[in-house]
Amino acid sequence: MERNFVMMRMMVMVVMMATLMRYPSSVVRCADPDPLEDFAAASFALRNIFANATVTKSDGGVRAVVGPKHLRVQSHQGVSIARYLIEPCGLDPPQTHPRATELITLLAGGPLLVGFVDSSIGQLRSNVLQANDVAVFPRGLLHFMQNVGNTTASIFSVFNSESPGVLVSSVGLFRLPEEVVAGAMNQSPKVVKHINKTMYNAGPSLIMISQESGCVPGRTYPK
C-alpha cells in the first residue's frame, strides 16, 4: 500500500511538471502577439518621417515616432521606430520603456552621451557614441541621451514592440503625493513643491540644458 502511495505521488508530480512545461506562455507573456498574416496594408513605406509621424519639437531638438497608425504594415510586426535630431546640449530625459528594448544608432553629429542604470546594483552604465556607433537600452531600465558635441546629433531608434510605452522619470516621480516624494528624497514637502513648480514638465519632449545647469557644447562629461 505504501508503495502504491509513493507511485501515485510520483505520477502527480510528473503530470504537474508536464503541464507547466507545456503552457509557460499562458503564465507569462512578455512579447507582442504573433502576427496572423504577413502584413496588414498594401503600403510598406512612409515618406518623410519628420512630416508624417508623431512629431514633437522643442529647444532641445525634434523627435518623430512611427507607429501602426502612421504605417499600417507595422501592425502585428512587433516593432516601432523613432528618429531624433538633438541639438548641442539637448537631452532626451531619463525615461523607461516598460514593454520594449531600444536600439539606437548615431547616424551623424554629436558625440552623444548615453547611459542606463542597471537593476542589479543600481550602477550607471554610460558611454560616448561617435557617428555610426550603436547602443542598446535594455527593456524597462532608466536611460537617457545627451548631445555633448557642437553639431546636431541625428539618431535612428528601433523598439522590439509596436507599443513600447514611455515614462519620463521626473514626470512620473512628481505625479506621486508630495509627502511620498519628500520622504523618498529626504527633503521637506516645501522643497519638493518648489522643485515640482520649477522643473521641466514636457513629457517625452527633448530638453535644452542651459550652461547654468552645467552643459557646455563640445565638453564631454568625465566617466
Side-chain angles (χ1 to χ4, degrees), residues 15-192:
V15 171
M16 290 177 63
M17 291 179 63
T19 302
L20 290 173
M21 292 176 66
R22 185 176 180 182
Y23 301 109
S25 61
S26 65
V27 179
V28 178
R29 189 180 186 108
C30 297
D32 288 358
D34 291 333
L36 300 177
E37 54 188 352
D38 290 341
F39 53 90
S43 176
F44 57 89
L46 177 71
R47 307 295 182 190
N48 191 354
I49 187 173
F50 290 110
N52 296 306
T54 297
V55 179
T56 55
K57 298 180 180 180
S58 63
D59 292 342
V62 183
R63 177 178 180 265
V65 178
V66 177
K69 68 178 181 179
H70 310 103
L71 190 60
R72 284 190 57 206
V73 71
Q74 189 177 319
S75 258
H76 309 304
Q77 298 301 317
V79 66
S80 56
I81 61 175
R83 284 277 279 114
Y84 300 85
L85 297 175
I86 304 181
E87 298 300 327
C89 283
L91 171 71
D92 189 28
Q95 60 194 261
T96 62
H97 302 295
R99 294 183 292 275
T101 294
E102 181 179 8
L103 185 149
I104 65 166
T105 302
L106 177 60
L107 302 176
L112 191 70
L113 175 66
V114 299
F116 64 86
V117 178
D118 67 37
S119 62
S120 56
I121 57 175
Q123 181 176 345
L124 172 65
R125 311 283 182 172
S126 65
N127 212 315
V128 177
L129 304 186
Q130 306 292 335
N132 299 314
D133 287 351
V134 176
V136 173
F137 301 135
R139 172 181 170 176
L141 297 189
L142 187 66
H143 62 275
F144 71 94
M145 298 186 290
Q146 182 188 344
N147 186 350
V148 292
N150 293 302
T151 58
T152 301
S154 178
I155 301 153
F156 178 80
S157 171
V158 61
F159 304 87
N160 64 338
S161 170
E162 67 180 59
S163 179
V166 59
L167 177 62
V168 176
S169 60
S170 57
V171 175
L173 178 64
F174 285 92
R175 291 292 185 268
L176 300 174
E178 290 180 353
E179 294 77 9
V180 173
V181 179
M185 298 176 64
N186 193 27
Q187 299 291 333
S188 71
K190 183 178 180 180
V191 171
V192 170

